[in-house]
Amino acid sequence: MNCPHTAAAPADRGAGTVVIDPMVQDLDGETARLRDAGVLARIDLLGVPAWTVTRHAEARQLLLDPRLVKDIDAWGLWQSGVVTRAWPLIGMIDAGRSMFTVDGAEHRRLRTKTSQALTPRRLEAIRPEIEKFTQELLDALDAAQGDDGVVDLKAVFAQPLPMRVVGMLMGVDESQHAMLTRQYKAFFSMLTPQDERLALLAELDVFYTDLVREKTARPTDDLTSALILAEEGGEPLTEEEVVGNLKAMVAAGHETTIGLVLNAVRALLSHPDQLRMVLAGEVGWDAVIEETLRWDTPTTHLLMRFATEDITVGDEVIREGEGLVVSYRAIGRDTEQHGAGADAFDITRPTRNRHMTFGHGPHICPGAALSRVEAGIALPALFTRFPGLRLAVPDEEITKLPVMTQNDMTAFPVLLG
Ligand code: STR
């Protein structure tokens, strides 16, 4: 097989390999094919082979398995030089030292302050600000309607809101938000040439390093400053570690919550009976949020973990040095976990809270509570302000961005009613 992104042809993909489509033309079809390919499926990521886990129970077990690590140096294809920085997905793995890329005791050291800053109790303090941002963006939505009344709910509402929230939390000035949104859009898009992606990542590193140096000199009341300051008697994070955590927080906090909010609006507009139940107060917004997280996960595939020894899963063996992806969208549709109707969106589903969309184990999403607070404010506020909200195009015309790991729409044109 000829692969333009890697230094040498990767191993034979084998007959049962699901080739992940960089253009994301049929996400539901691909999710179903992954499930059909087995508990542990072979996938092809732009010519690079990996395993993926497609079931809830096995993923849960693997996410607790210390024989799987996030350190890219444990990857055989990286050690041998088959995968290089020319591979378009390398930025999802080789993202610098941070809580996202380190395991064990060091991981706890890198992560503790961040997870403590994002507990439901601590988040209550910033709720009023999130409510204020939401109201401002609803005004902006009203003002942005074209002559035909159409407005893009993504560009004007769902995208700026999480950026403002994570920006406030991390101390990133509002004047930089548009730049960051543009850079991350290019980072995630498979249409961006790899040399441009590597260049923008280098630019972002300079930006974040400058920010960390500024906060080191003049600490303020934000999580970046808190990450810089040593705990009493504790070992302070290095500059590289603070930069790594900051990058991870901004990238994750910005990108994933866009998906959560938009996917929830889309699910409700295409299931009007369920929207009516929510607006009548028969079912809570928390149910909408949890069912959306299960049914249409913001993260499609999470890259990557590496086996430090052979790991047997059912009939398959992940060999030492092989890579494992977690396919959260397939896992949300697991019929063992959610029953035969797992493919249906149903906010009254008894298992709606028993999804694993935020992961499991030591790396479980530290921003889970924050995303729930954001969506829990944004969704009711949107439907309260615009009860007649509807899609401006048929649902089938909504397209996904060409992003392999995230589940994100190109645009979401609506009429505010
Ligand atoms: C993007 C590039 C970067 O500079 C740093 C990170 C680390 C955190 C990653 C992020 C990445 C991509 C999106 C992730 C996020 C953690 C959570 C988020 C994977 C690689 C999810 O989609 C779950």
Side-chain angles (χ1 to χ4, degrees):
M1 185 187 62
N2 180 24
C3 169
H5 311 299
T6 51
D12 183 15
R13 296 196 309 219
T17 297
V18 178
V19 178
I20 304 300
D21 173 17
M23 298 310 292
V24 198
Q25 305 216 53
D26 176 19
L27 188 58
D28 284 335
E30 191 168 277
T31 301
R33 279 196 295 285
L34 278 169
R35 289 188 38 75
D36 291 346
V39 170
L40 208 62
R42 290 177 196 274
I43 55 172
D44 173 298
L45 296 164
L46 301 167
V48 170
W51 290 105
T52 192
V53 57
T54 68
R55 296 294 193 279
H56 186 105
E58 286 80 1
R60 194 182 159 93
Q61 213 179 337
L62 287 167
L63 288 169
L64 292 174
D65 194 323
R67 295 172 297 174
L68 285 163
V69 299
K70 303 198 76 178
D71 180 2
I72 191 170
D73 290 331
W75 195 10
L77 294 175
W78 178 253
Q79 290 162 3
S80 62
V82 170
V83 172
T84 68
R85 293 208 35 104
W87 184 50
L89 290 166
I90 197 67
M92 295 300 299
I93 303 169
D94 193 20
R97 188 177 159 83
S98 78
M99 58 185 167
F100 185 69
T101 54
V102 167
D103 295 279
E106 281 291 275
H107 175 246
R108 280 188 289 283
R109 177 180 153 267
L110 290 179
R111 175 178 154 117
T112 302
K113 252 189 205 172
T114 303
S115 52
Q116 284 171 353
L118 298 172
T119 59
R121 196 179 56 82
R122 293 279 293 275
L123 292 173
E124 279 314 304
I126 61 166
R127 181 181 284 276
E129 274 146 307
I130 303 177
E131 282 166 351
K132 188 184 89 177
F133 295 150
T134 303
Q135 291 306 325
E136 286 169 6
L137 291 171
L138 290 172
D139 292 341
L141 211 48
D142 213 353
Q145 294 172 84
D147 291 339
D148 51 1
V150 179
V151 52
D152 180 4
L153 187 69
K154 178 180 178 185
V156 185
F157 183 74
Q159 184 166 270
L161 179 63
M163 186 72 243
R164 284 195 196 180
V165 174
V166 80
M168 168 184 67
L169 199 73
M170 303 310 294
V172 180
D173 195 78
E174 239 186 278
S175 63
Q176 305 301 322
H177 292 184
M179 176 279 288
L180 289 169
T181 297
R182 178 169 42 78
Q183 296 280 50
Y184 282 114
K185 184 174 184 212
F187 167 74
F188 284 112
S189 173
M190 286 300 119
L191 297 178
T192 303
Q194 182 61 1
D195 55 339
E196 279 176 36
R197 188 176 354 262
L198 293 176
L200 80 81
L201 284 172
E203 284 169 32
L204 283 172
D205 268 339
V206 171
F207 169 76
Y208 287 123
T209 304
D210 286 349
L211 184 62
V212 168
R213 290 187 182 160
E214 192 187 305
K215 299 281 176 192
T216 306
R218 279 174 298 277
T220 42
D221 180 24
D222 52 50
L223 183 50
T224 303
S225 302
L227 289 174
I228 294 165
L229 297 170
E231 219 88 276
E232 195 122 356
E235 174 89 1
L237 302 195
T238 66
E239 181 176 278
E240 184 197 2
E241 291 165 343
V242 176
V243 170
N245 278 354
L246 172 61
K247 289 201 284 200
M249 284 292 293
V250 176
H254 168 56
E255 166 57 35
T256 52
T257 313
I258 301 172
L260 172 55
V261 170
L262 286 179
N263 295 348
V265 174
R266 183 182 190 180
L268 288 173
L269 293 183
S270 56
H271 297 81
D273 47 328
Q274 298 189 47
L275 176 57
R276 265 192 302 276
M277 289 166 71
V278 180
L279 295 181
E282 291 161 27
V283 182
W285 285 100
D286 56 329
V288 173
I289 292 166
E290 298 311 313
E291 179 63 353
T292 302
L293 284 165
R294 178 196 74 81
W295 185 67
D296 203 9
T297 60
T299 300
T300 314
H301 307 289
L302 197 123
L303 274 51
M304 201 183 283
R305 286 171 171 80
F306 310 103
T308 56
E309 352 174 335
D310 291 1
I311 300 172
T312 304
V313 182
D315 308 332
E316 306 280 12
V317 181
I318 308 172
R319 295 279 171 208
E320 178 184 342
E322 289 183 336
L324 174 73
V325 168
V326 184
S327 290
Y328 284 106
R329 203 166 187 280
I331 289 168
R333 306 296 184 95
D334 189 343
T335 51
E336 292 272 313
Q337 177 71 4
H338 302 288
D343 274 330
F345 178 77
D346 177 5
I347 56 176
T348 66
R349 168 186 305 282
T351 67
R352 66 177 177 242
N353 292 348
R354 296 207 286 274
H355 63 73
M356 215 177 30
T357 298
F358 291 116
H360 189 64
H363 287 278
I364 191 167
C365 178
L370 177 60
S371 77
R372 287 175 166 129
V373 169
E374 288 182 50
I377 291 170
L379 293 170
L382 176 67
F383 282 95
T384 303
R385 177 83 167 260
F386 304 113
L389 184 79
R390 61 188 198 279
L391 254 174
V393 297
D395 184 83
E396 312 79 72
E397 284 178 24
I398 300 290
T399 53
K400 298 289 181 183
L401 281 173
V403 173
M404 290 178 85
T405 55
Q406 318 300 123
N407 177 8
D408 196 352
M409 300 170 204
T410 309
F412 196 75
V414 293
L415 291 160
L416 300 176

